Amino acid sequence: MTGSKTVRSAYALADAGLITVDRLAALDRVAARYAVAITPALADLIDPSDPRDPMARQFVPDERELELRPEESADPIGDEAHSPVEGIVHRYPDRVLLKLVTACAVYCRFCFRRETVGPGRGGLAPTALTAALDYIARTPQIWEVILTGGDPLVLSPRRLKNIVTRIAAIGHVKVIRVHTRVPVAAPERVTAELMRALRSGKATFVVLHANHPRELTIQTRAACARFVDAGLPMLSQSVLLRGVNDDAETLGALMRALVECRIKPYYLHHADLAPGTAHLRTTIAEGQALMRALHGRNSGLCQPAYVLDIPGGFGKSPIGPQYLSADGIEDFNGRRHAYPPCHADTD
Ligand code: SF4
């Protein structure tokens, strides 16, 4: 059992026994560049005696984070290019992101928004929030509002209720989606009051970010059950990460554990070109091979879409393996079968 406080510095990491003292100076430099936070729930999951621990790889800073590659970018998915007003990203016609806060319960070492997330930067100011909601209200093609950040569930239920109620009052918004890592990082925040805050009468989905089956602890599973039992269906998004979930057994176990929690796996993201994260990225070919393995071994319920956010702000595209080609179709065992080509009726 580690401490009862969130670890926020290299010194606190050493105090908690999560790093050895010889790494202190180097990791202090990393922590000065990119925010660090490891909640007690996550600290308990880290095995400091294992140099390849998949939890440590996700949350404990690494010396390699200061090595930048030319292809990496501070805004790898191009949010800025699609921000008509502060707090809004309007990339696709029928939906917007509403970035409520820059803070998170935990700071993941691979985060694609690592240049903009961090503590102490506050949330969207009240006037900016009103301007963002006005933009949504005057843009009738917006069917879905996605609450993100940072992590929107670090806000108090009272503030969330106020925001969700104002969004729900906009007639053309039919769906609200909440992207969060809080059930993994701080499951104690998932309370009955939070359920009341998020229930607005609009279809509301909660999307859990989880990358390894060990993240689905008893407490996290109970937190997720509270959402689903409250009528807030859950989806998941995971990031494919080298040394964390880039083997078929771990990835399959993660997807099964999610489904067992009544969470439908939604996206497997190819890791974005965020600064200092090359050591955590796989190749796309490796990701496609893993998707083939998932297809071969696991229930259809366990199949997320493997997607890439195209650098520059051009949106997500599916990059999973292809099964159909001119010489037939491949089955789940990798065998090929002829399939008659379809001809359009020409008369
Ligand atoms: S919780 Fe999400 S936004 Fe926050 S650091 Fe992790 S990946 Fe980034």
Side-chain angles (χ1 to χ4, degrees):
M1 194 71 185
T2 5
S4 58
K5 283 194 177 148
T6 294
V7 170
R8 294 190 182 276
S9 68
Y11 295 92
L13 283 166
D15 269 354
L18 296 174
I19 60 165
T20 48
V21 174
D22 55 312
R23 297 179 69 198
L24 195 49
L27 295 187
D28 190 38
R29 285 196 293 279
V30 178
R33 182 74 185 80
Y34 299 113
V36 172
I38 303 177
T39 57
L42 289 176
D44 276 350
L45 289 178
I46 294 171
D47 176 1
S49 68
D50 178 2
R52 299 159 67 91
D53 182 61
M55 297 301 121
R57 276 179 82 77
Q58 290 190 72
F59 308 120
V60 174
D62 187 288
E63 292 80 348
R64 287 167 289 186
E65 289 177 47
L66 297 179
E67 296 167 14
L68 302 185
R69 297 276 181 95
E71 66 273 23
E72 293 175 342
S73 154
D75 181 17
I77 72 165
D79 280 353
E80 271 305 307
H82 297 280
S83 185
V85 295
E86 188 187 347
I88 294 276
V89 178
H90 194 177
R91 195 187 329 263
Y92 307 99
D94 71 341
R95 56 208 184 274
V96 288
L97 302 181
L98 176 55
K99 297 202 240 180
L100 293 176
V101 280
T102 52
C104 299
V106 60
Y107 294 105
C108 311
R109 307 323 300 168
F110 50 86
C111 178
F112 68 108
R113 296 209 177 104
R114 60 189 332 216
E115 295 283 352
T116 52
V117 298
R121 303 181 200 204
L124 208 53
T127 47
L129 176 62
T130 299
L133 295 176
D134 284 348
Y135 176 83
I136 296 169
R138 66 172 186 269
T139 313
Q141 69 264 37
I142 297 172
W143 173 81
E144 180 183 22
V145 175
I146 300 163
L147 303 184
T148 182
D151 194 318
L153 297 193
V154 301
L155 292 174
S156 70
R158 196 171 56 82
R159 278 195 70 192
L160 280 167
K161 184 164 190 58
N162 173 279
I163 296 165
V164 167
T165 304
R166 291 165 73 188
I167 297 168
I170 301 171
H172 55 262
V173 174
K174 306 295 185 193
V175 177
I176 299 171
R177 207 198 306 170
V178 183
H179 282 190
T180 185
R181 207 145 169 47
V182 158
V184 166
E188 69 283 357
R189 293 187 71 93
V190 182
T191 59
E193 197 188 356
L194 178 63
M195 301 304 117
R196 287 193 290 276
L198 295 180
R199 289 178 62 176
S200 64
K202 294 280 165 110
T204 301
F205 293 79
V206 177
V207 181
L208 177 72
H209 173 177
N211 301 324
H212 190 279
R214 259 165 60 196
E215 292 171 46
L216 296 168
T217 61
I218 291 170
Q219 293 80 5
T220 295
R221 288 170 190 248
C224 294
R226 286 197 280 281
F227 285 118
V228 181
D229 290 344
L232 299 162
M234 291 192 76
L235 305 167
S236 71
Q237 53 179 341
S238 305
V239 183
L240 182 58
L241 295 167
R242 183 171 298 290
V244 174
N245 55 17
D246 62 336
D247 65 281
E249 204 164 306
T250 303
L251 201 58
L254 170 64
M255 299 305 158
R256 281 188 169 166
L258 289 164
V259 173
E260 288 162 19
C261 294
R262 297 176 285 168
I263 302 170
K264 172 70 186 89
Y266 178 40
Y267 279 144
L268 175 66
H269 295 273
H270 189 72
D272 294 308
L273 297 169
T277 61
H279 59 291
L280 293 169
R281 289 196 295 271
T282 66
T283 64
I284 288 178
E286 287 167 324
Q288 289 175 329
L290 285 164
M291 288 301 294
R292 266 180 207 282
L294 271 190
H295 176 60
R297 298 175 180 203
N298 295 96
S299 155
L301 284 174
C302 298
Q303 312 293 328
Y306 180 39
V307 292
L308 172 73
D309 253 296
I310 305 170
F314 301 103
K316 272 182 205 67
S317 284
I319 55 168
Q322 296 297 318
Y323 294 90
L324 186 63
S325 65
D327 65 335
I329 180 137
E330 183 184 325
D331 70 20
F332 70 99
N333 285 315
R335 297 173 302 212
R336 295 205 72 80
H337 305 272
Y339 187 81
C342 295
H343 294 291
D345 198 345
T346 49
D347 56 30

